[in-house]
Amino acid sequence: MTATLVLAEQLIARPSVTPLDAGCLDLLAQRLAPLGFQCERIDSGPDNFRVSNLWARRGHGRHPTLVWAGHTDVVPTGPLEQWGSDPFTPTHRDGRLFGRGASDMKTSLAAMVVACEEFLQANPEPGIDIAFLLTSDEEGPAVDGTVVVCEALQRRGERLDWCIVGEPTSVERTGDMIKNGRRGTMSGKLTVKGVQGHIAYPHLARNPIHMVAPALAELASTVWDGGNAFFPPTSWQVNNIHGGTGASNVIPGTVVLDFNFRFCTESTPEGLQQRVADILARHGLQAGRDHDLTWTVGGLPFLTTPGTLVDAVRDAIRTETGIETELSTTGGTSDGRFIARICPQVVELGLPNATIHKVDEHVVVSDIEPLKNIYHRVLDNLSRAVQP
């Protein structure tokens, strides 16, 4: 077995269901320390939900810095009886490696570490600094993980130039798609206040469902923006509606709508919030009197346009696989949204994502070494790019 596969299996064998790390970071730090990395734990959170964070850096800020970022935590397994093998016992079947976290994203972490080992063995004094930013709170609330480390680094004035997040971005083959940005996410909770009453006497009540229906129709049909060359248009979706008492003869007193924006760089949270407020007011729903609305901004959009990092990644993929990779900003959010606040160039590159979060999560074994080789070549390309 290759060194990458061995390390991936060692990580998969640790049941690190978020926010648990189960010793993954200790294992990775043990591999990084002999390479000259200074390993620092920046753990955070309450005792009953303690999050493990590792910041490991090689170099002293005199050179441009490449950060490898990722997470050791995994989502719950789901029904164990539906798995073909124990999710935390790495298992091979039909050329595939099965286990929770195989694709999302322990194999990427293994590939990053082994790529650095090989690169530094051949280049003990490269012209770049290298760092790892790893957390056990990406699949969970994501409030005590990468964001905490980034805030600490920003306070210290640490320089970050490029970042590769090992999220599973590929579709059919390793390297066929990378994410050079992600949409922002913002959620709203709208509570419309009516007057509860008997359904046979509607003139003595105010039905909040009827009150909000015209505004809801306009919100659903609104074109928020047209997107741009890198992002699809901003979308608005209702994900939950709660109303009624359970009785068939009662007009409810309130209805609660949960909704979410996935927004591109053409829109801002403030602008979207104002447009929603305007629509509600236009349909007679006054803030405070008729409704309450709270907002949660889960992350801002980020975009890395073609340049040093994108070019280095594209070339590495092309050289190792022959694939002309596709740049994409589709999908959900990642910890890249936090890193992009302090690092000007962030991309995501990992294995195919067809089985992430599913029962019998797996990766094709033949996809693993190409990923490690791509990571290694990115290091080579960036090192050459900064040579005088």
Side-chain angles (χ1 to χ4, degrees):
M1 292 197 297
T2 67
T4 312
L5 180 56
V6 170
L7 182 53
E9 291 186 353
Q10 291 173 342
L11 292 169
I12 293 168
R14 287 162 167 76
S16 55
V17 177
T18 191
L20 300 178
D21 168 68
C24 291
L25 291 181
D26 288 340
L27 173 62
L28 295 172
Q30 290 167 11
R31 297 288 288 264
L32 294 173
L35 303 176
F37 285 85
Q38 299 297 313
C39 297
E40 175 187 3
R41 292 292 289 266
I42 310 178
D43 296 354
S44 180
D47 291 341
N48 63 343
F49 204 90
R50 194 68 173 167
V51 170
S52 301
N53 299 310
L54 175 67
W55 171 248
R57 180 164 192 151
R58 187 183 192 275
H60 304 285
R62 293 190 293 269
H63 303 297
T65 301
L66 169 65
V67 179
W68 299 100
H71 59 91
T72 60
D73 59 320
V74 298
V75 298
T77 62
L80 291 176
E81 65 274 10
Q82 295 183 16
W83 283 73
S85 53
D86 184 283
F88 296 111
T89 301
T91 305
H92 290 258
R93 296 194 300 273
D94 302 320
R96 294 171 170 81
L97 170 63
F98 288 80
R100 176 58 85 221
S103 179
D104 189 14
M105 54 171 283
K106 291 183 173 181
T107 305
S108 290
L109 298 180
M112 292 172 177
V113 170
V114 175
C116 285
E117 289 174 336
E118 294 179 352
F119 171 75
L120 291 171
Q121 183 177 11
N123 304 274
E125 297 295 334
I128 60 174
D129 290 353
I130 307 171
F132 280 78
L133 198 172
L134 307 176
T135 183
S136 68
D137 183 35
E138 196 273 347
E139 301 290 6
V143 297
D144 285 299
T146 297
V147 63
V148 169
V149 180
C150 288
E151 289 169 352
L153 298 179
Q154 188 172 34
R155 287 192 299 268
R156 297 190 321 213
E158 296 222 28
R159 171 184 174 180
L160 310 182
D161 296 275
W162 313 294
C163 178
I164 296 177
V165 187
E167 290 290 344
T169 59
S170 301
V171 181
E172 300 293 336
R173 292 178 56 197
T174 294
D176 61 7
M177 179 180 288
I178 65 173
K179 305 291 185 180
N180 65 317
R182 292 280 192 170
R183 295 176 294 175
T185 177
M186 179 170 66
S187 296
K189 181 178 286 292
L190 173 66
T191 302
V192 180
K193 299 177 283 189
V195 176
Q196 182 174 316
H198 196 294
I199 206 163
Y201 302 96
H203 60 289
L204 300 177
R206 293 175 68 223
N207 193 321
I209 300 175
H210 294 189
M211 292 165 61
V212 77
L216 179 59
E218 182 174 348
L219 288 165
S221 62
T222 294
V223 176
W224 303 96
D225 58 47
N228 55 36
F230 295 99
F231 287 97
T234 291
S235 66
W236 181 87
Q237 291 290 318
V238 174
N239 52 296
N240 279 294
I241 298 180
H242 309 274
T245 65
S248 62
N249 60 350
V250 177
I251 293 171
T254 61
V255 64
V256 179
L257 282 77
D258 297 311
F259 58 84
N260 178 266
F261 280 104
R262 293 300 167 105
F263 61 100
C264 72
T265 50
E266 296 298 306
S267 292
T268 65
E270 297 78 13
L272 294 171
Q273 291 176 18
Q274 185 59 55
R275 291 179 68 183
V276 170
D278 292 343
I279 291 171
L280 294 174
R282 188 157 53 245
H283 291 280
L285 297 174
Q286 297 302 316
R289 184 194 70 186
D290 301 304
H291 76 80
D292 295 321
L293 177 55
T294 59
W295 295 97
T296 302
V297 179
L300 298 175
F302 70 90
L303 177 67
T304 299
T305 54
T308 303
L309 181 59
V310 170
D311 291 348
V313 172
R314 277 176 156 170
D315 177 81
I317 293 171
R318 183 186 307 114
T319 302
E320 291 296 332
T321 69
I323 295 172
E324 291 294 335
T325 193
E326 177 183 353
L327 300 182
S328 173
T329 60
T330 58
T333 61
S334 77
D335 277 359
R337 68 190 188 275
F338 304 126
I339 301 167
R341 299 177 189 174
I342 62 172
C343 182
Q345 298 183 54
V346 179
V347 302
E348 301 172 23
L349 165 61
L351 293 165
N353 56 26
T355 66
I356 61 173
H357 294 203
K358 293 183 178 181
V359 167
D360 277 346
E361 178 182 350
H362 64 267
V363 295
V364 177
V365 173
S366 60
D367 275 329
I368 296 175
E369 280 305 288
L371 180 65
K372 182 267 295 179
N373 293 339
I374 291 168
Y375 287 165
H376 186 158
R377 193 166 291 275
V378 169
L379 287 160
D380 286 334
N381 288 347
L382 292 176
S383 181
R384 284 195 296 269
V386 301
Q387 296 300 319

